[in-house]
Amino acid sequence: MAPAITLAAETELSAANTGFMLICSALVMLMTPALAFFYGGMVRVKSTLNMLMMSFISLGIVTVLWVLYGFSMAFGTDSGSVVGWNSDWVGLSDIGLTELWDGYTIPVFVFLVFQLMFAVITPALISGALADRVKFTAWALFIALWVTIVYFPVAHWVWGTGGWAFELGVIDFAGGTAVHINAGAAALGVILVIGKRVGFKKDPMRPHSLPLVMLGAGLLWFGWFGFNAGSWLGNDDGVGALMFVNTQVATGAAVLGWLAYEKIRHGAFTTLGAASGAVSGLVAITPAGGAVSPLGAIAVGLIAGVVCAMAVGLKYKLGYDDSLDVVGVHLVGGILGSLLIGFFASGKGQSDVEGLFYGGGLDQFWKQCAGVFGVLAYSLVVSAVLAFLLDKTIGMRVSEDVEVAGIDQAEHAETAYDFSGAGGGAARTTATPAASAAASAPSKKVDA
């Protein structure tokens, strides 16, 4: 995110930058339903609608909370380098239509709606780790509590004037710490509390629709240009254009890195691997893209593609059930992208900070470590505590019978697909045992 700056008093509203940022905001909004498709295709048929809804509900809950107090907590006047607050922003009723954001050439309303879309997608990212087993009511309450206690303060730490990470000089162009590490650590904290899916490591849990996964990944890639390039809040100096280019370059490199690892390790180039590789590259370049050159972006993407592909298999070795690899892709990818700034920062992008490979030593690397592990620890612990309290009060998980039969019908009274017209048989929402066995034949690709 562009740092807060103070420009000359004659700064005026720019119609070009305002229009650009509104388009970027719409692109970031698109990323949440894109994520729903991405995750929705990766689960089994009986959980498809629930997975879609776990992302979609964030658009409702977080939007309302952002208007009521979220924007104020994230970007209001600093209090102790921990959280912001501005009573004039509560309910957004005292903001002028042409009031500019902190010396920039865009209105406050444009900045706040852009940032709203970041706040919306972050808890939605967590949902992929919890597929098949969480009560929808409990999930909705978790979102409301989590964004209030975790996301809004962390956004202030990283991007708010006075936030401790901001003041330390931690570089996070568009959300490596505030979004991806934050969501990945939260996902790990919650799954350690609620436990594994029924049949984890025993039953086949392959994606039911790889075309949906590819559609979601493609839409995420498209929307990510708004997510990343828009985070400079304009493009008067070319930094936003650099970020746009680096987003494409790193993502392409990550696809190649993931697929190469997958071919060597599992013997095939899979569509699921290509989609997952793209997302890992998008995640890793998000914090780093304004600080590195296009060659640096290739390095960041390749490293992320290979390391994230390796990381997704850790859940089987360590025994935690991260259903759709939120930890392996978002937490690991966010850490990589944030820390690699300390090595690949060129000094020719968003700032003059140079990384180790450009003669700058390890000073920026240690700053990045502070930001990464500060956010990781806070989100992991607080998210686990929230999940524990919800589990002990209203209960986080559906019953085992509901999980086995399918969460869609129990939680939403609907099914994703109507098979009644196929073959003239009665409507059913799950495949026959024979079809299930055929569809669940062993795959050489680690499930993502």
Side-chain angles (χ1 to χ4, degrees):
M1 190 64 56
I5 58 174
T6 302
L7 299 179
E10 63 269 15
T11 300
E12 296 181 355
L13 186 148
S14 165
N17 284 340
T18 298
F20 170 71
M21 289 305 301
L22 288 173
I23 292 171
C24 288
S25 301
L27 287 171
V28 182
M29 181 273 165
L30 176 67
M31 292 172 66
T32 297
L35 181 72
F37 282 123
F38 181 69
Y39 282 166
M42 291 172 71
V43 295
R44 291 168 288 180
V45 169
K46 61 185 180 180
S47 303
T48 306
L49 293 180
N50 181 252
M51 199 72 260
L52 296 173
M53 282 292 287
M54 288 180 78
S55 289
F56 227 77
I57 192 61
S58 187
L59 284 162
I61 294 171
V62 180
T63 297
V64 173
L65 297 184
W66 189 253
V67 170
L68 294 179
Y69 57 81
F71 180 62
S72 181
M73 289 181 65
F75 293 99
T77 303
D78 176 69
S79 178
S81 298
V82 175
V83 72
W85 188 255
N86 186 335
S87 58
D88 291 339
W89 291 352
V90 174
L92 310 183
S93 58
D94 292 323
I95 298 176
L97 295 181
T98 58
E99 181 180 345
L100 299 183
W101 170 249
D102 202 16
Y104 287 89
T105 59
I106 61 173
V108 174
F109 272 114
V110 173
F111 176 76
L112 73 85
V113 78
F114 180 68
Q115 277 295 317
L116 164 61
M117 303 311 172
F118 281 65
V120 165
I121 196 172
T122 306
L125 292 172
I126 302 169
S127 67
L130 316 178
D132 300 331
R133 61 199 189 275
V134 175
K135 293 178 182 177
F136 189 70
T137 301
W139 170 245
L141 183 56
F142 177 84
I143 288 178
L145 294 173
W146 189 83
V147 294
T148 301
I149 301 172
V150 179
Y151 181 81
F152 298 157
V154 169
H156 181 76
W157 297 356
V158 176
W159 295 318
T161 302
W164 68 263
F166 180 92
E167 296 301 325
L168 181 62
V170 176
I171 294 175
D172 185 354
F173 195 97
T177 53
V179 176
H180 298 290
I181 293 174
N182 201 3
L188 181 59
V190 175
I191 58 181
L192 291 177
V193 170
I194 67 171
K196 308 174 184 67
R197 288 169 290 179
V198 175
F200 176 65
K201 293 202 292 188
K202 297 178 182 178
D203 299 336
M205 298 180 180
R206 298 174 63 194
H208 89 279
S209 176
L210 289 172
L212 274 186
V213 174
M214 293 297 281
L215 173 64
L219 290 174
L220 280 170
W221 194 334
F222 176 67
W224 223 291
F225 290 116
F227 193 84
N228 280 358
S231 289
W232 198 241
L233 308 185
N235 194 36
D236 297 330
D237 55 5
V239 175
L242 172 67
M243 185 55 164
F244 194 108
V245 170
N246 283 345
T247 298
Q248 178 68 21
V249 169
T251 306
V255 171
L256 299 179
W258 188 298
L259 289 176
Y261 173 83
E262 186 176 62
K263 177 64 174 177
I264 295 169
R265 181 71 177 83
H266 303 293
F269 303 114
T270 69
T271 53
L272 182 58
S276 299
V279 174
S280 71
L282 290 164
V283 169
I285 201 60
T286 289
V292 303
S293 69
L295 285 177
I298 291 176
V300 170
L302 283 172
I303 293 169
V306 173
V307 175
C308 289
M310 297 170 63
V312 298
L314 291 176
K315 63 184 179 184
Y316 299 107
K317 296 179 180 179
L318 301 179
Y320 63 89
D321 186 8
D322 175 17
S323 306
L324 308 183
D325 297 318
V326 178
V327 176
V329 173
H330 293 276
L331 179 58
V332 173
I335 291 172
L336 287 171
S338 298
L339 296 184
L340 288 173
I341 294 171
F343 297 94
F344 291 105
S346 67
K348 298 179 180 179
Q350 68 184 93
S351 70
D352 59 2
V353 170
E354 295 178 334
L356 179 65
F357 298 156
Y358 288 80
L362 288 172
D363 181 59
Q364 188 62 38
F365 175 76
W366 297 121
K367 292 178 181 179
Q368 296 302 118
C369 285
V372 164
F373 294 108
V375 171
L376 191 160
Y378 178 75
S379 184
L380 175 68
V381 172
V382 176
S383 302
V385 171
L386 282 176
F388 178 81
L389 293 176
L390 287 173
D391 194 45
K392 295 302 180 182
T393 52
I394 65 174
M396 282 285 285
R397 291 192 64 150
V398 297
S399 69
E400 183 173 331
D401 289 343
V402 167
E403 185 177 335
V404 171
I407 196 171
D408 283 359
Q409 188 66 55
E411 291 290 305
H412 307 290
E414 298 171 307
T415 56
Y417 304 101
D418 180 5
F419 296 107
S420 60
R428 61 178 184 265
T429 58
T430 57
T432 63
S436 296
S440 303
S443 171
K444 294 182 180 180
K445 167 69 177 68
V446 175
D447 287 344

